Amino acid sequence: MKTNIYRSFSDSQAEGKKSFAVLIDPDKIDGQAACMQLVTMGMANQVNYFLVGGSLITGNNFGQVVRLIKDHTDIPVVIFPGSSMHIEPDADAILFLSLISGRNPDLLIGQHVVAAPVLKRSNLEVLPTGYMLVDSGNPTTVSYMSNTMPIPGDKPSVAACTAVAGEMLGLKLIYMDAGSGAEQPVSGKMISMVRKSVNIPLIVGGGINNAHKAARAYEAGADTIVIGNGIEKNPNLLVEVAELTNRYNQQMKV
Ligand code: 1GP
């Protein structure tokens, strides 16, 4: 079983380093040129990961987007699947998401059973991930599509207990997500409480649409932040957050 990508998450966490993942939604990216622009900017600014996926993918260019990125950069490509159909063997790894904030058995274990034999035959590194949706003020695509109730944004202890349970079940990453385009990102208080409660790497995303919010998530204890929407609207945000990430990591060396 491959472990390289997981090791990069856990080594960074152990060293106190932050990492930055750019999410590309194949449905939203406006053609090859726009995708290439992000790839080029990602390389120039040492982005750590490209995540490819989304909770509702209606087009058929998922594989094309993965291959385009893989053909032009060594930055790892990690699938962020919306369903068991989103498996692309040309990627490096897949977040094997169990939606532990919800009580929908299909997203806790059902789709995984369908995906397991396909993943077993593939060369993808499987990253067992406790996925936690957090209420952000407005209904997001992911909360609607998953038919689950997100964790209330003002209940950090519920989030912490959920994350601890995920870790005890053997999940290797926790991903807290306010949902793509969320009005409010996950609060610093919730991030900080979850960070203190578990030892595994913590990914945070949803609604981080400026460098200030990115800094707040890092300060609160996120090891990795994911940005999609904000970069779709303003590609220069990629540069700003990459600089922020590098600044954090330089401080760690002092
Ligand atoms: C969504 O966490 C990701 O699932 C990223 O969210 O698109 O709001 O950056 P944004």
Side-chain angles (χ1 to χ4, degrees):
M1 193 193 289
K2 293 202 287 184
T3 56
N4 297 351
I5 309 283
Y6 184 69
R7 198 168 302 145
S8 76
F9 279 104
S10 60
D11 285 355
S12 297
Q13 184 205 5
E15 292 164 22
K17 284 190 184 161
K18 306 295 185 183
S19 53
F20 173 31
V22 172
L23 172 65
I24 298 182
D25 182 333
D27 257 7
K28 293 190 190 154
I29 191 86
D30 194 11
Q32 281 202 8
C35 190
M36 269 314 295
Q37 184 195 8
L38 291 184
V39 172
T40 309
M41 290 174 81
M43 285 192 290
N45 293 280
Q46 296 170 319
V47 158
N48 300 91
Y49 309 98
F50 280 111
L51 260 53
V52 181
S55 30
L56 176 64
I57 296 177
T58 56
N60 57 2
N61 60 341
F62 196 95
Q64 277 169 288
V65 169
V66 168
R67 279 186 290 280
L68 186 71
I69 306 171
K70 283 298 300 169
D71 285 347
H72 292 91
T73 178
D74 290 332
I75 297 171
V77 177
V78 180
I79 300 172
F80 177 47
S83 80
S84 56
M85 282 158 32
H86 298 156
I87 297 176
E88 180 44 61
D90 290 327
D92 296 291
I94 182 166
L95 294 174
F96 201 44
L97 303 171
S98 184
L99 183 55
I100 57 175
S101 60
R103 300 296 178 266
N104 178 345
D106 201 36
L107 299 178
L108 278 163
I109 182 64
Q111 299 226 348
H112 313 69
V113 176
V114 177
V118 183
L119 289 174
K120 189 91 179 164
R121 282 194 301 272
S122 79
N123 227 0
L124 288 165
E125 182 178 338
V126 176
L127 304 169
T129 304
Y131 187 47
M132 294 167 42
L133 291 178
V134 178
D135 192 19
S136 60
N138 57 335
T140 56
T141 308
V142 63
S143 63
Y144 179 78
M145 292 303 292
S146 67
N147 197 17
T148 65
M149 193 190 288
I151 295 173
D154 62 349
K155 299 278 184 267
S157 55
V158 175
C161 292
T162 307
V164 171
E167 183 178 46
M168 286 173 167
L169 282 166
L171 298 169
K172 298 289 188 204
L173 297 165
I174 295 291
Y175 186 162
M176 275 206 290
D177 195 347
S180 199
E183 264 171 25
Q184 297 295 330
V186 181
S187 73
K189 194 170 174 190
M190 187 178 277
I191 295 172
S192 146
M193 199 154 175
V194 169
R195 173 64 291 155
K196 285 180 192 136
S197 305
V198 294
N199 295 316
I200 51 181
L202 176 61
I203 304 172
V204 176
I208 301 175
N209 53 13
N210 61 42
H212 179 65
K213 290 178 184 170
R216 271 210 312 236
Y218 279 153
E219 290 287 347
D223 299 302
T224 301
I225 57 169
V226 180
I227 304 186
N229 244 269
I231 291 172
E232 281 157 24
K233 294 192 179 127
N234 167 25
N236 203 45
L237 180 61
L238 183 155
V239 180
E240 289 175 36
V241 175
E243 280 171 1
L244 174 80
T245 309
N246 286 334
R247 276 204 302 280
Y248 264 95
N249 294 338
Q250 290 301 325
Q251 284 166 18
M252 293 314 301
K253 283 186 192 157
V254 182

